[in-house]
Amino acid sequence: MIVLKVTAEAQSLVWNGDDLVDPVGGRRWGPDGVEQHASVVHGSPFDRCVASPSGRYSVVYAERGTEALLLDGDRLVRELSRSYDHAEDFDYAVALGTLRGGREVLVHCPEEYNVLEIEDAESGERLTVGERRPRDVFHSRLEMSPDGTHLLSAGWLWHPHGIAEVFDVARALTDPAVLDDRGVLPSEPGVDDEVVSACWLDGDRVAVATGELALDDEGFSVLGPGQLGVWSLSAGQWTHRSRVDFSVGTLIARGDTVVSLHGHPRLVDVTTGAVVAEWPTVEVSRRDGSYGATHIPTPVAALHPDGTRLAVAQPESIAIITLPEREDSRLPAPG
């Protein structure tokens, strides 16, 4: 593990090649570990960042606020905002992605917390124009699938109760009311307990983690409490469902494993729920779900695109963890 010294704790981390960048704090660290300051700093009220798959666009935002900026490199493309309604209670809903044709898009809820919109990233042209039938759901922790065909929302309902929904993007572009339905994940039988985190593993599979309660084993088609499950869009079922004996927290996908951030980082096999590796000396916040206590922020971490390194913000440093070699990286190249 490599430890980079910082002048202040990083509020956001993204990889740019082999450089680490904190777009909110306006700093960069090269392979030599030397901290460099950028010409543009996006400070208060912003405290988080999400980047597009291409690396061209990014959004800096206030995780529990209403303001955000869409950037093309250091250039301001436009200001963004969301509804004030319960904004202090749940994470800002925003994602960047690439549609199958190569168009880069922004997904957010610019007017109402329960109305998802898809826009062209550069021009701001709204691509979801039409009659809407919004449900009373708080969208949050948005993520486009790697192939740009589906959208994940790990938000919540007013119980409060965390949920996961997956929407067909191609259908939504012709009928935006698709984003107001329950999506393609089944509601019955589906998930029996509260969803605390979810992420895309690839274009077909989504990993979903539920809260730690007693296992309710009523059949393989149900994801029960305290479990990590893998839903396949093509198979239309839970292909894996494992009990985990720890709080999963925030998930970052890495092939057939996920990085679990709660207390400290763990690398977890999604097919078995087993911990492949863990780093107890690297502390991260104990955050579950997209809503709730404002004093427990989402951990700041970034997985390198090649899956070999995980950067984790610490109060006085950045820990760069070398992850175990992936099984798929040892397979012979096709052909």
Coordinates of all heavy atoms in Angstrom, one line a residue, residues 118-178:
I118 N -33.1 12.6 -18.5 CA -31.9 12.3 -19.2 C -31.7 13.5 -20.2 O -32.6 13.8 -21.0 CB -32.0 11.0 -20.0 CG1 -32.3 9.8 -19.0 CG2 -30.7 10.7 -20.7 CD1 -32.6 8.5 -19.7
E119 N -30.5 14.0 -20.2 CA -30.1 15.2 -21.0 C -28.8 15.0 -21.7 O -27.9 14.2 -21.2 CB -30.0 16.4 -20.1 CG -31.3 16.8 -19.4 CD -31.0 18.0 -18.4 OE1 -29.9 18.4 -18.2 OE2 -32.0 18.4 -17.8
D120 N -28.7 15.6 -22.9 CA -27.4 15.6 -23.6 C -26.4 16.4 -22.7 O -26.7 17.5 -22.3 CB -27.5 16.3 -25.0 CG -26.2 16.3 -25.7 OD1 -25.9 15.4 -26.4 OD2 -25.5 17.3 -25.6
A121 N -25.3 15.8 -22.4 CA -24.3 16.4 -21.5 C -23.9 17.8 -21.9 O -23.9 18.8 -21.2 CB -23.1 15.5 -21.3
E122 N -23.5 17.9 -23.2 CA -22.9 19.2 -23.7 C -24.0 20.3 -23.9 O -23.9 21.4 -23.4 CB -22.2 19.0 -25.0 CG -21.5 20.2 -25.6 CD -20.5 20.9 -24.6 OE1 -19.9 20.2 -23.8 OE2 -20.4 22.1 -24.7
S123 N -25.1 19.9 -24.6 CA -26.0 21.0 -25.0 C -27.1 21.2 -23.9 O -27.7 22.3 -23.9 CB -26.7 20.6 -26.3 OG -27.5 19.4 -26.1
G124 N -27.4 20.2 -23.1 CA -28.4 20.3 -22.1 C -29.8 19.9 -22.7 O -30.8 20.0 -22.0
E125 N -29.8 19.5 -24.0 CA -31.1 19.1 -24.6 C -31.7 18.0 -23.8 O -31.1 16.9 -23.6 CB -30.8 18.6 -26.0 CG -32.1 18.1 -26.7 CD -31.8 17.4 -28.0 OE1 -30.6 17.4 -28.5 OE2 -32.7 16.8 -28.6
R126 N -33.0 18.1 -23.4 CA -33.7 17.1 -22.7 C -34.1 16.0 -23.6 O -34.8 16.3 -24.6 CB -34.8 17.7 -21.9 CG -35.5 16.7 -21.0 CD -36.3 17.3 -19.9 NE -35.4 18.1 -19.0 CZ -35.8 18.7 -17.9 NH1 -37.1 18.8 -17.7 NH2 -35.0 19.4 -17.1
L127 N -33.7 14.8 -23.3 CA -34.1 13.6 -24.2 C -35.3 12.9 -23.7 O -35.8 12.0 -24.4 CB -32.9 12.7 -24.3 CG -31.5 13.3 -24.7 CD1 -30.4 12.3 -24.7 CD2 -31.6 14.0 -26.0
T128 N -35.8 13.2 -22.5 CA -37.0 12.6 -22.0 C -38.1 13.6 -21.9 O -38.4 14.2 -20.9 CB -36.7 12.0 -20.6 OG1 -35.9 13.0 -19.8 CG2 -35.9 10.8 -20.6
V129 N -38.7 13.8 -23.1 CA -39.8 14.8 -23.2 C -41.1 14.0 -23.5 O -41.2 13.2 -24.4 CB -39.5 15.7 -24.4 CG1 -40.7 16.7 -24.5 CG2 -38.2 16.5 -24.2
G130 N -42.1 14.3 -22.6 CA -43.4 13.6 -22.8 C -44.1 13.6 -21.5 O -43.7 14.1 -20.4
E131 N -45.3 13.0 -21.5 CA -46.1 12.9 -20.3 C -45.5 12.1 -19.3 O -44.9 11.0 -19.5 CB -47.5 12.3 -20.7 CG -48.5 12.3 -19.6 CD -49.9 11.8 -20.0 OE1 -50.1 11.5 -21.2 OE2 -50.7 11.5 -19.1
R132 N -45.6 12.5 -18.0 CA -45.0 11.8 -16.9 C -46.1 11.4 -15.9 O -47.1 12.1 -15.7 CB -43.9 12.6 -16.2 CG -42.8 13.1 -17.2 CD -42.0 11.9 -17.8 NE -41.3 11.2 -16.8 CZ -40.0 11.4 -16.4 NH1 -39.4 12.3 -17.1 NH2 -39.4 10.6 -15.5
R133 N -45.8 10.3 -15.2 CA -46.7 9.8 -14.1 C -45.8 9.4 -12.9 O -45.7 8.3 -12.5 CB -47.4 8.6 -14.6 CG -48.3 8.8 -15.8 CD -49.1 7.6 -16.2 NE -48.2 6.5 -16.6 CZ -47.7 6.3 -17.8 NH1 -48.1 7.2 -18.8 NH2 -47.0 5.3 -18.1
P134 N -45.2 10.4 -12.2 CA -44.2 10.1 -11.2 C -44.9 9.5 -9.9 O -46.0 9.8 -9.5 CB -43.6 11.5 -10.8 CG -44.6 12.5 -11.3 CD -45.3 11.9 -12.5
R135 N -44.1 8.5 -9.4 CA -44.5 7.9 -8.1 C -43.8 8.6 -7.0 O -42.9 9.4 -7.2 CB -44.1 6.4 -8.1 CG -44.7 5.6 -9.1 CD -43.9 4.3 -9.4 NE -43.3 3.7 -8.2 CZ -42.0 3.5 -8.1 NH1 -41.2 3.8 -9.1 NH2 -41.5 2.9 -7.0
D136 N -44.2 8.4 -5.7 CA -43.6 9.1 -4.6 C -42.4 8.3 -4.2 O -42.4 7.5 -3.2 CB -44.6 9.2 -3.5 CG -44.1 10.2 -2.4 OD1 -43.2 10.9 -2.7 OD2 -44.6 10.1 -1.3
V137 N -41.3 8.4 -4.9 CA -40.0 7.7 -4.6 C -38.9 8.8 -4.7 O -38.9 9.6 -5.5 CB -39.8 6.6 -5.6 CG1 -39.8 7.1 -7.0 CG2 -38.5 5.9 -5.3
F138 N -37.9 8.7 -3.7 CA -36.8 9.6 -3.7 C -35.6 8.9 -4.4 O -35.0 8.0 -3.9 CB -36.4 9.9 -2.3 CG -37.4 10.7 -1.5 CD1 -38.5 10.1 -0.9 CD2 -37.3 12.1 -1.4 CE1 -39.4 10.8 -0.2 CE2 -38.2 12.8 -0.7 CZ -39.3 12.2 -0.1
H139 N -35.4 9.3 -5.7 CA -34.3 8.7 -6.4 C -32.9 9.2 -5.9 O -32.8 10.4 -5.5 CB -34.4 9.1 -7.9 CG -35.6 8.5 -8.6 ND1 -35.7 7.2 -8.8 CD2 -36.7 9.1 -9.1 CE1 -36.8 6.9 -9.4 NE2 -37.4 8.0 -9.6
S140 N -31.9 8.3 -5.8 CA -30.6 8.7 -5.3 C -29.6 7.6 -5.8 O -30.0 6.6 -6.4 CB -30.7 8.7 -3.8 OG -29.5 9.2 -3.3
R141 N -28.3 8.0 -5.7 CA -27.2 7.1 -6.1 C -27.5 6.4 -7.4 O -27.5 5.2 -7.6 CB -27.0 6.0 -5.0 CG -26.6 6.6 -3.7 CD -26.0 5.6 -2.7 NE -25.4 6.2 -1.6 CZ -24.7 5.6 -0.6 NH1 -24.5 4.3 -0.7 NH2 -24.2 6.3 0.4
L142 N -27.6 7.3 -8.4 CA -27.8 6.9 -9.8 C -26.6 6.3 -10.4 O -25.5 6.8 -10.1 CB -28.4 8.1 -10.6 CG -29.6 8.8 -10.1 CD1 -29.9 9.9 -11.1 CD2 -30.8 7.9 -9.9
E143 N -26.7 5.4 -11.3 CA -25.6 4.8 -12.0 C -26.1 4.2 -13.3 O -26.9 3.3 -13.4 CB -24.9 3.7 -11.2 CG -23.6 3.2 -11.8 CD -22.9 2.2 -11.0 OE1 -23.3 1.9 -9.8 OE2 -21.9 1.5 -11.5
M144 N -25.5 4.6 -14.5 CA -25.8 4.1 -15.8 C -25.0 2.8 -15.9 O -23.8 2.6 -15.4 CB -25.3 5.0 -16.9 CG -26.2 6.2 -17.0 SD -27.7 5.9 -18.0 CE -27.0 5.8 -19.7
S145 N -25.6 1.8 -16.6 CA -24.9 0.5 -16.8 C -23.7 0.8 -17.8 O -23.8 1.7 -18.6 CB -25.8 -0.5 -17.4 OG -26.3 -0.1 -18.7
P146 N -22.6 0.0 -17.7 CA -21.5 0.2 -18.6 C -21.8 0.3 -20.1 O -21.1 1.0 -20.8 CB -20.6 -0.9 -18.3 CG -20.9 -1.3 -16.9 CD -22.4 -1.1 -16.8
D147 N -22.8 -0.4 -20.5 CA -23.2 -0.4 -21.9 C -24.2 0.6 -22.3 O -24.7 0.8 -23.4 CB -23.7 -1.8 -22.4 CG -25.0 -2.2 -21.6 OD1 -25.5 -1.5 -20.8 OD2 -25.4 -3.4 -21.9
G148 N -24.6 1.4 -21.3 CA -25.5 2.6 -21.5 C -27.0 2.2 -21.8 O -27.7 3.0 -22.3
T149 N -27.4 1.0 -21.5 CA -28.7 0.5 -21.8 C -29.7 0.6 -20.6 O -30.9 0.7 -20.8 CB -28.7 -0.9 -22.3 OG1 -28.2 -1.8 -21.2 CG2 -27.8 -1.1 -23.5
H150 N -29.2 0.7 -19.4 CA -30.1 0.7 -18.2 C -29.6 1.7 -17.2 O -28.4 2.0 -17.2 CB -30.2 -0.7 -17.6 CG -31.0 -1.7 -18.4 ND1 -30.4 -2.3 -19.5 CD2 -32.3 -2.0 -18.3 CE1 -31.4 -3.1 -20.0 NE2 -32.5 -2.9 -19.3
L151 N -30.5 2.1 -16.3 CA -30.2 3.1 -15.3 C -30.5 2.5 -13.9 O -31.7 1.9 -13.8 CB -31.0 4.4 -15.5 CG -30.9 5.4 -14.4 CD1 -29.5 6.0 -14.2 CD2 -31.9 6.5 -14.6
L152 N -29.6 2.5 -13.0 CA -29.9 2.1 -11.6 C -30.1 3.3 -10.7 O -29.4 4.3 -10.7 CB -28.6 1.3 -11.1 CG -28.6 1.0 -9.6 CD1 -29.7 0.0 -9.2 CD2 -27.2 0.4 -9.3
S153 N -31.1 3.1 -9.9 CA -31.4 4.1 -8.8 C -31.5 3.4 -7.5 O -32.3 2.5 -7.3 CB -32.7 4.9 -9.1 OG -33.1 5.7 -7.9
A154 N -30.6 3.7 -6.5 CA -30.6 3.1 -5.2 C -31.1 4.2 -4.2 O -30.4 4.8 -3.5 CB -29.2 2.6 -4.8
G155 N -32.4 4.4 -4.3 CA -33.0 5.5 -3.5 C -33.8 4.9 -2.3 O -33.5 3.9 -1.8
W156 N -35.0 5.6 -2.1 CA -35.8 5.2 -0.9 C -37.2 5.6 -1.0 O -37.5 6.5 -1.8 CB -35.1 5.7 0.4 CG -35.0 7.2 0.4 CD1 -34.1 8.0 -0.3 CD2 -35.7 8.2 1.3 NE1 -34.3 9.3 0.0 CE2 -35.2 9.5 1.0 CE3 -36.7 8.0 2.3 CZ2 -35.7 10.6 1.6 CZ3 -37.1 9.1 2.9 CH2 -36.6 10.4 2.6
L157 N -38.0 5.0 -0.2 CA -39.4 5.4 -0.1 C -39.7 6.0 1.3 O -38.9 5.7 2.2 CB -40.3 4.1 -0.3 CG -40.2 3.4 -1.6 CD1 -41.0 2.1 -1.6 CD2 -40.7 4.2 -2.8
W158 N -40.8 6.7 1.4 CA -41.1 7.3 2.7 C -41.7 6.3 3.7 O -42.9 6.2 3.9 CB -42.1 8.5 2.5 CG -42.3 9.2 3.7 CD1 -43.3 9.2 4.6 CD2 -41.4 10.2 4.3 NE1 -43.1 10.0 5.7 CE2 -41.9 10.6 5.5 CE3 -40.1 10.7 3.9 CZ2 -41.3 11.5 6.3 CZ3 -39.5 11.6 4.7 CH2 -40.1 12.0 5.9
H159 N -40.7 5.5 4.3 CA -41.1 4.7 5.5 C -40.2 5.2 6.6 O -40.8 5.2 7.7 CB -40.8 3.2 5.2 CG -41.8 2.6 4.3 ND1 -43.2 2.5 4.6 CD2 -41.7 2.1 3.0 CE1 -43.8 1.9 3.6 NE2 -43.0 1.7 2.6
P160 N -38.9 5.5 6.5 CA -38.1 5.4 5.2 C -37.6 3.9 5.0 O -37.4 3.2 6.0 CB -36.9 6.3 5.5 CG -36.8 6.3 7.0 CD -38.1 6.1 7.6
H161 N -37.4 3.6 3.7 CA -37.0 2.3 3.4 C -36.2 2.3 2.1 O -36.7 2.8 1.1 CB -38.2 1.4 3.2 CG -38.0 0.0 2.9 ND1 -37.7 -0.9 3.9 CD2 -37.9 -0.7 1.7 CE1 -37.5 -2.1 3.4 NE2 -37.6 -2.0 2.1
G162 N -35.0 1.8 2.1 CA -34.1 1.9 0.9 C -34.5 0.8 -0.2 O -34.9 -0.3 0.2
I163 N -34.5 1.2 -1.4 CA -34.9 0.3 -2.5 C -33.9 0.4 -3.7 O -33.1 1.4 -3.7 CB -36.3 0.7 -3.1 CG1 -36.3 2.2 -3.6 CG2 -37.4 0.5 -2.0 CD1 -37.6 2.5 -4.4
A164 N -34.0 -0.5 -4.6 CA -33.2 -0.5 -5.8 C -34.1 -0.6 -7.0 O -35.0 -1.5 -7.0 CB -32.1 -1.5 -5.8
E165 N -34.0 0.2 -8.0 CA -34.8 0.1 -9.2 C -33.9 0.2 -10.5 O -32.9 1.0 -10.4 CB -35.8 1.2 -9.3 CG -36.8 1.1 -8.1 CD -37.9 2.3 -8.2 OE1 -37.5 3.4 -8.5 OE2 -39.0 2.0 -7.9
V166 N -34.2 -0.5 -11.5 CA -33.4 -0.5 -12.8 C -34.4 -0.2 -13.9 O -35.4 -0.8 -14.1 CB -32.7 -1.8 -13.0 CG1 -32.1 -1.9 -14.4 CG2 -31.7 -2.1 -11.9
F167 N -34.0 0.8 -14.7 CA -34.9 1.3 -15.8 C -34.2 1.0 -17.2 O -33.0 1.2 -17.3 CB -35.2 2.8 -15.6 CG -35.8 3.1 -14.3 CD1 -35.0 3.6 -13.3 CD2 -37.2 2.9 -14.1 CE1 -35.6 3.9 -12.1 CE2 -37.7 3.2 -12.9 CZ -37.0 3.7 -11.9
D168 N -35.0 0.7 -18.2 CA -34.6 0.5 -19.5 C -34.5 1.9 -20.2 O -35.4 2.6 -20.4 CB -35.6 -0.3 -20.3 CG -35.2 -0.7 -21.7 OD1 -34.6 0.1 -22.4 OD2 -35.4 -1.9 -22.1
V169 N -33.2 2.3 -20.5 CA -32.9 3.6 -21.0 C -33.5 3.8 -22.4 O -34.1 4.9 -22.7 CB -31.4 4.0 -21.0 CG1 -31.1 5.3 -21.7 CG2 -31.0 4.0 -19.5
A170 N -33.3 2.8 -23.3 CA -33.8 2.9 -24.7 C -35.3 3.2 -24.7 O -35.8 4.0 -25.4 CB -33.4 1.7 -25.4
R171 N -36.0 2.4 -23.9 CA -37.5 2.6 -23.8 C -37.8 4.0 -23.2 O -38.8 4.7 -23.7 CB -38.1 1.6 -23.0 CG -38.2 0.2 -23.6 CD -39.0 -0.8 -22.7 NE -40.3 -0.3 -22.5 CZ -41.0 -0.6 -21.4 NH1 -40.5 -1.2 -20.4 NH2 -42.2 -0.1 -21.2
A172 N -37.0 4.5 -22.3 CA -37.3 5.8 -21.6 C -37.1 6.9 -22.6 O -37.8 8.0 -22.5 CB -36.4 5.9 -20.4
L173 N -36.2 6.7 -23.6 CA -36.0 7.8 -24.6 C -37.2 8.0 -25.5 O -37.3 9.0 -26.2 CB -34.7 7.5 -25.3 CG -33.4 7.6 -24.5 CD1 -32.2 7.3 -25.3 CD2 -33.2 9.0 -23.8
T174 N -38.0 7.0 -25.7 CA -39.2 7.1 -26.5 C -40.4 7.3 -25.7 O -41.4 7.9 -26.1 CB -39.4 5.8 -27.4 OG1 -39.5 4.6 -26.5 CG2 -38.2 5.6 -28.3
D175 N -40.4 6.8 -24.4 CA -41.5 7.0 -23.5 C -41.0 7.3 -22.1 O -40.7 6.3 -21.3 CB -42.4 5.7 -23.5 CG -43.6 5.9 -22.5 OD1 -43.8 7.0 -22.0 OD2 -44.2 4.9 -22.2
P176 N -40.8 8.5 -21.7 CA -40.1 8.9 -20.5 C -40.9 8.4 -19.2 O -40.3 8.3 -18.2 CB -40.0 10.4 -20.5 CG -41.0 10.8 -21.5 CD -41.1 9.7 -22.5
A177 N -42.2 8.1 -19.4 CA -43.0 7.6 -18.3 C -42.4 6.2 -17.8 O -42.8 5.8 -16.7 CB -44.4 7.4 -18.7
V178 N -41.6 5.6 -18.6 CA -40.9 4.3 -18.2 C -40.1 4.6 -16.9 O -40.0 3.7 -16.0 CB -40.0 3.8 -19.3 CG1 -39.1 2.7 -18.8 CG2 -40.9 3.2 -20.4

